[in-house]
Amino acid sequence: MLPRDACTRKSEKIGIIGAGPGGLSCAMLLAHKGFDVTVLEKASEVGGRSAPINLEAFKFDTGPTFLMMKYVLDELFDLCDRKSADYLQFKLLDPMYQLSFPDFYIQMSNNKERMRNELNRVFPGNEEGLNKFYSREKKKYERIIKNLYKDYSSLASFLSLKLIAALPSFFLGGSIFDNLGNYFKEEKLRICFTFQSKYLGMSPWECPAAFTIIPFVEHEYGIYHVIGGLNQISKAMAQIVKEENGAVITDQKVKKIETSGNKVTGVQLQDGKKLAFDKVIVNADFGYSMSKLFQPGKIKKYSSAKLQKKKFSCSAFMLYLGVDKKYVAPHHNIVFAEDYRKNISDIQEGRLSEDSSFYVQNASVTDDTLAPNGKSTIYLLVPVPNNRSNIDWNEKAESFKETLLNNVEERTPLKDLRDHIEIEKMITPKQWEQDYNVYIGSTFNLAHNLSQMLYFRPHNKFEELKNLYLVGGGTHPGSGLPTIYISGIVTAGLISKNHTLHNT
Ligand SMILES: Cc1cc2nc3c(=O)[nH]c(=O)nc-3n(C[C@H](O)[C@H](O)[C@H](O)COP(=O)(O)OP(=O)(O)OC[C@H]3O[C@@H](n4cnc5c(N)ncnc54)[C@H](O)[C@@H]3O)c2cc1C
């Protein structure tokens, strides 16, 4: 390895556009290796969709609230010779979450004994199916996981022997919902193990069966909260970049990526200033970057016309409420619409459901750093169509919010929620697009159908331009936090493999 202090000034200059979890994970690895790293972030805080939202004394996560596969995060810190526990305080949640249906609720646990007991309470007679789920999905997970750390920037890497061996696990026929039919017959029980496809913004009836690894990793490794919110992870990562002599500059919007022929030369900032880089890594949202950060006509494979033919995830309607009360209610509660299947097809087909499923986070039940004494933070998320739907959110937002609050009061323990709201913030799909630079407000990025995965997802080493790389939810392996951290490992690996020093 390069002597760090000797090489920081001499090594390749790497510019990273965006301080989301993707950009920061790549930045900390490259800075640790001695690269001269500069992260340019348009917002005034790091984290992107994982940044904090502070409403007076109330603190929220903007997006991610479930930390799964914590070991991937630990590994990322290990690769920088650090321990995640020295920077962050983790709390394993048990139960992981509550699932609330109109006629029953179930509390899911990664403690296998507790899970068996709960299953027997709600769905007696399914214990054998649960055991099969644990053991068969473990084997598939083991075949798939190693391949997520590979880069599929060339056809040769895609056709590697290891991947070929794992292909049957990736390309299992059918959907995640079909796959769960191998373990459970009742539709609602299958939903309890497949609703996780919504983390990818997809429907359980169309999300590929390979993604059964998501419920599997939850049940195997659990779900964590981070004290102060998951936004603390991005903060810790930015701190490590700085400790490693990298720079993280906020309030610096990149206007254009500068090119000469098929080579990237640097970036132009919003104020017109130009910065030269040897390599540029794009963490800003993929669809946004392709359509806004290049000279018109420069990008062919992902031109605006071609992006329109790609499948993108749904969006999310968000409400963050600072309330002057503490509720005895689950930390994570997912509340299903009466007709969940119709709700999902409404989202896919661009309609607002009359009866929507929603997610309520009551993190103050676990973490008293988020709100003043006796008060709490309530985070509400409703999956809704992305902006291809042309829904007019200026017109719809207020009535949608009122319906949501009615449903929360009716279907959860937060019966008098409205009476206790001190402060609130809303984010609609339109705002995701306008304020957060999220292409068509598709909060969970490019969909994860088989034709947009692995070699078929935009490559970590960008296809069309030399010395341009991607990191984050829009590239391989995909759009949840652990896979985004893996994308940081893959992209940093591609760059450090090609590392050359200047001036030596
Ligand atoms: C509501 C919601 C809930 C989610 N919940 C979970 C969850 O519970 N668990 C989970 O694992 N995942 C979850 N996700 C998915 C995913 O983990 C997050 O979206 C994650 O933050 C995406 O990381 P990223 O690095 O790809 O992009 P981002 O977080 O979007 O980071 C991109 C960065 O680029 C910056 N940027 C954009 N344009 C420019 C520009 N021109 N110049 C400079 N900077 C720019 C942005 O400001 C941003 O900081 C959730 C997502 C959302 C939206």
Side-chain angles (χ1 to χ4, degrees):
M1 208 184 87
L2 297 164
R4 198 121 10 101
D5 48 353
C7 66
T8 42
R9 294 201 58 76
K10 288 182 184 170
S11 64
E12 284 188 318
K13 283 172 87 73
I14 311 282
I16 302 184
I17 307 172
L24 291 170
S25 55
C26 206
M28 62 193 261
L29 290 166
L30 290 173
H32 179 67
K33 288 252 178 208
F35 287 84
D36 183 352
V37 174
T38 304
V39 184
L40 301 162
E41 167 56 51
K42 83 172 183 68
S44 51
E45 298 225 42
V46 299
R49 274 165 265 197
S50 305
I53 290 180
N54 296 315
L55 299 181
E56 293 177 357
F58 297 92
K59 300 184 187 103
F60 302 82
D61 280 315
T62 305
T65 54
F66 282 50
L67 176 63
M68 61 184 92
M69 296 165 82
K70 171 179 168 285
Y71 60 86
V72 175
L73 183 67
D74 295 342
E75 183 185 5
L76 188 62
F77 278 65
D78 284 350
L79 288 169
C80 296
D81 294 330
R82 283 163 170 85
K83 294 277 157 255
S84 63
D86 292 339
Y87 292 79
L88 298 158
Q89 198 183 335
F90 297 99
K91 204 150 173 140
L92 180 68
L93 297 175
D94 190 10
M96 297 190 281
Y97 43 75
Q98 174 165 313
L99 303 177
S100 301
F101 291 83
D103 45 345
F104 71 94
Y105 74 88
I106 180 165
Q107 297 200 324
M108 308 299 268
S109 174
N110 79 308
N111 175 311
K112 295 198 167 68
E113 206 41 53
R114 243 171 261 150
M115 189 64 238
R116 280 190 194 99
N117 292 340
E118 182 70 347
L119 198 68
N120 279 336
R121 179 182 72 79
V122 187
F123 292 102
N126 280 287
E127 201 169 310
E128 205 187 313
L130 182 66
N131 292 339
K132 264 197 213 158
F133 166 80
Y134 289 143
S135 63
R136 279 201 208 161
E137 291 304 323
K138 188 178 179 73
K139 286 188 193 124
K140 283 186 210 153
Y141 161 81
E142 280 163 359
R143 280 196 293 270
I144 288 177
I145 188 70
K146 290 180 224 116
N147 290 289
L148 297 186
Y149 284 79
K150 288 183 160 289
D151 118 69
Y152 294 104
S153 299
S154 70
L155 199 55
S157 58
F158 180 57
L159 296 176
S160 73
L161 286 176
K162 264 197 188 143
L163 181 67
I164 289 170
L167 280 181
S169 304
F170 273 110
F171 294 94
L172 293 166
S175 66
I176 177 169
F177 187 82
D178 295 333
N179 188 31
L180 260 291
N182 292 319
Y183 310 116
F184 309 122
K185 294 296 160 237
E186 283 147 281
E187 169 154 333
K188 282 191 176 154
L189 179 51
R190 283 207 236 172
I191 289 174
C192 296
F193 285 81
T194 57
F195 78 90
Q196 291 84 346
S197 59
K198 269 283 138 220
Y199 302 166
L200 306 172
M202 291 181 79
S203 145
W205 290 275
E206 72 165 22
C207 180
F211 285 103
T212 313
I213 72 164
I214 305 179
F216 172 75
V217 294
E218 286 184 351
H219 284 265
E220 187 71 9
Y221 302 106
I223 289 178
Y224 288 81
H225 172 71
V226 176
I227 298 299
L230 267 57
N231 61 80
Q232 297 298 315
I233 303 174
S234 300
K235 232 189 223 170
M237 287 176 162
Q239 187 185 326
I240 293 173
V241 176
K242 291 176 194 165
E243 286 168 6
E244 296 284 4
N245 300 318
V248 180
I249 310 176
T250 51
D251 296 307
Q252 279 300 353
K253 183 174 178 187
V254 170
K255 189 173 166 199
K256 280 276 170 289
I257 295 176
E258 300 272 301
T259 57
S260 164
N262 69 344
K263 204 167 175 282
V264 168
T265 53
V267 301
Q268 184 185 11
L269 302 176
Q270 191 66 25
D271 62 9
K273 194 172 159 197
K274 293 187 178 180
L275 301 178
F277 291 112
D278 297 305
K279 291 191 166 103
V280 170
I281 304 173
V282 177
N283 173 226
D285 181 80
F286 173 74
Y288 156 83
S289 301
M290 292 300 120
S291 47
K292 300 278 197 245
L293 292 184
F294 294 95
Q295 250 8 330
K298 186 81 199 167
I299 299 296
K300 306 278 183 284
K301 187 169 174 187
Y302 301 111
S303 63
S304 295
K306 292 205 173 130
L307 283 179
Q308 276 169 29
K309 294 192 185 130
K310 297 255 163 222
K311 266 194 145 174
F312 277 83
S313 76
C314 66
S315 190
F317 176 92
M318 311 294 302
L319 203 53
Y320 310 88
L321 306 173
V323 301
D324 65 1
K325 177 171 180 174
K326 275 203 141 177
Y327 286 99
V328 181
H331 183 115
H332 297 304
N333 187 1
I334 293 151
V335 182
F336 291 89
E338 189 126 5
D339 188 346
Y340 182 54
R341 207 162 178 153
K342 175 165 187 317
N343 173 217
I344 296 286
S345 54
D346 283 345
I347 298 170
Q348 306 297 111
E349 288 157 26
R351 289 185 299 270
L352 277 184
S353 286
E354 277 164 31
D355 179 22
S356 292
S357 306
F358 56 93
Y359 157 61
V360 186
Q361 192 212 31
N362 175 37
S364 299
V365 77
T366 311
D367 181 349
D368 58 14
T369 69
L370 303 173
N373 239 345
K375 301 188 178 184
S376 58
T377 54
I378 301 292
Y379 161 127
L380 303 174
L381 181 160
V382 190
V384 291
N386 66 37
N387 293 334
R388 279 185 179 152
S389 66
N390 291 322
I391 290 167
D392 180 352
W393 283 101
N394 286 339
E395 191 216 326
K396 295 275 183 220
E398 274 306 315
S399 62
F400 195 78
K401 179 184 109 180
E402 290 308 317
T403 309
L404 172 60
L405 291 173
N406 285 342
N407 290 340
V408 173
E409 290 183 339
E410 193 181 316
R411 301 269 321 265
T412 77
L414 284 60
K415 298 293 174 210
D416 54 358
L417 179 62
R418 272 195 183 84
D419 301 338
H420 294 280
I421 300 173
E422 269 192 12
I423 193 160
E424 68 177 62
K425 178 182 168 71
M426 188 197 290
I427 303 180
T428 68
K430 189 176 167 210
Q431 286 155 335
W432 282 119
E433 183 166 351
Q434 286 179 353
D435 304 343
Y436 290 83
N437 288 356
V438 175
Y439 179 74
I440 60 169
S442 163
T443 38
F444 310 98
N445 230 303
L446 274 169
H448 294 73
N449 44 313
L450 294 176
S451 60
Q452 296 185 165
M453 277 167 58
L454 301 168
Y455 178 69
F456 307 109
R457 206 163 177 80
H459 296 174
N460 302 68
K461 177 165 183 3
F462 189 61
E463 290 97 314
E464 290 189 43
L465 291 164
K466 275 191 186 162
N467 55 359
L468 188 76
Y469 295 78
L470 304 180
V471 74
T475 185
H476 167 73
S479 85
L481 283 179
T483 42
I484 288 171
Y485 300 144
I486 295 175
S487 80
I489 296 173
V490 172
T491 301
L494 282 165
I495 290 177
S496 34
K497 203 164 61 190
N498 300 332
H499 189 199
T500 51
L501 280 180
H502 285 296
N503 312 325
T504 51

